[in-house]
Amino acid sequence: MKKEVEEKYKAYPEAIRKKLDRIRSLIFDVAEENGLGSVDETLKWGEPSYLVKGGSAVRIDWKIKEPYQYVVYFNCNTKLVDTFKELYGGKFNFSGNRAIVFGLNEPIHEKQLKHCIKLALIYHSVKTLPLLGA
């Protein structure tokens, strides 16, 4: 983990850090399980950001103004979140066309979230397919 990303994680409240660490692990798992190559981990707009070659970035964060939720962000100029709403509207809460929002005490629904992460990480190869080939 790059120093600036590590420092960002250290600044999160412990309960949030555990949730974000889990999502971070899911991102790396998806990349490995699907042979997507190395994950570039950096800060974008002050938020931990994850990207593989040929994919669309996945960012995660928590904001003090919403202390009981954390968010997984996707590029709002893609069809990603609209597709996730079609596939998992009953499992996740969304913020417009840019994010999946989790309450601190909600389950993560890892199988479905891993699918969303995968679609983001392979976005450029599936962006023309209906429902991104899901």
Side-chain angles (χ1 to χ4, degrees), residues 76-130:
C76 63
N77 295 316
T78 67
K79 298 184 283 186
L80 288 164
V81 173
D82 288 337
T83 300
F84 304 159
K85 287 177 182 177
E86 278 289 315
L87 297 172
Y88 304 119
K91 292 275 186 198
F92 296 127
N93 294 308
F94 299 93
S95 176
N97 65 343
R98 62 187 299 243
I100 298 174
V101 180
F102 294 93
L104 183 57
N105 296 315
E106 287 178 26
I108 292 179
H109 300 293
E110 289 189 9
K111 179 180 177 185
Q112 293 83 1
L113 182 57
K114 283 179 75 173
H115 186 225
C116 294
I117 291 167
K118 177 184 176 184
L119 291 175
L121 296 181
I122 64 169
Y123 183 73
H124 293 291
S125 65
V126 297
K127 65 185 176 184
T128 60
L129 300 175

